[in-house]
Amino acid sequence: MNGGEIIGLLGMLLLVSSWVPQTVETVRKRHCPLNLEFVIIYVLAASLLTIYSWIIGDWIFFTLNFLSAFQSGINLVVKLMEK
C-alpha cells in the first residue's frame, strides 16, 4: 500500500464514519431529521459513484461510496416510512 492509498483509506474511514452517528440515531429513534430531497440525491449520487468506481477498479472509492450509499439508504428508508 503506497502513501496515496493510505491517505485515501484514512479519508474514506473518516467520511464513512461521519454517517455512523446519524444512521444509528435514525434507526434508534425511527425518525430521520434530514431533508428528504437531500437524502434522495445523496443516495443516488453515492450509488452512481459506486458503479463508476467499480468500473475504474478503485477499491477505496468503491468502498467509500458503497458504504455511504448504504448508510444514507437506511436514512432514506426510515424517512419514507415516516410519511
Side-chain angles (χ1 to χ4, degrees):
M1 187 176 291
N2 64 38
E5 288 177 329
I6 292 171
I7 290 171
L9 182 59
L10 290 173
M12 177 198 70
L13 292 172
L14 287 171
L15 196 55
V16 169
S17 66
S18 71
W19 270 101
V20 172
Q22 180 61 56
T23 304
V24 169
E25 181 180 325
T26 295
V27 170
R28 195 177 72 240
K29 292 184 176 180
R30 297 178 192 242
H31 169 71
C32 180
L34 301 173
N35 180 284
L36 177 61
E37 291 80 12
F38 166 78
V39 179
I40 290 170
I41 292 168
Y42 196 95
V43 170
L44 180 58
S47 298
L48 291 172
L49 286 169
T50 300
I51 294 167
Y52 171 72
S53 57
W54 176 271
I55 291 169
I56 65 171
D58 187 329
W59 70 271
I60 292 174
F61 198 45
F62 173 82
T63 305
L64 164 66
N65 287 294
F66 175 79
L67 292 174
S68 294
F70 179 72
Q71 290 183 93
S72 58
I74 291 171
N75 285 280
L76 178 60
V77 168
V78 171
K79 187 72 169 179
L80 292 173
M81 289 173 54
E82 291 174 2
K83 300 219 173 253

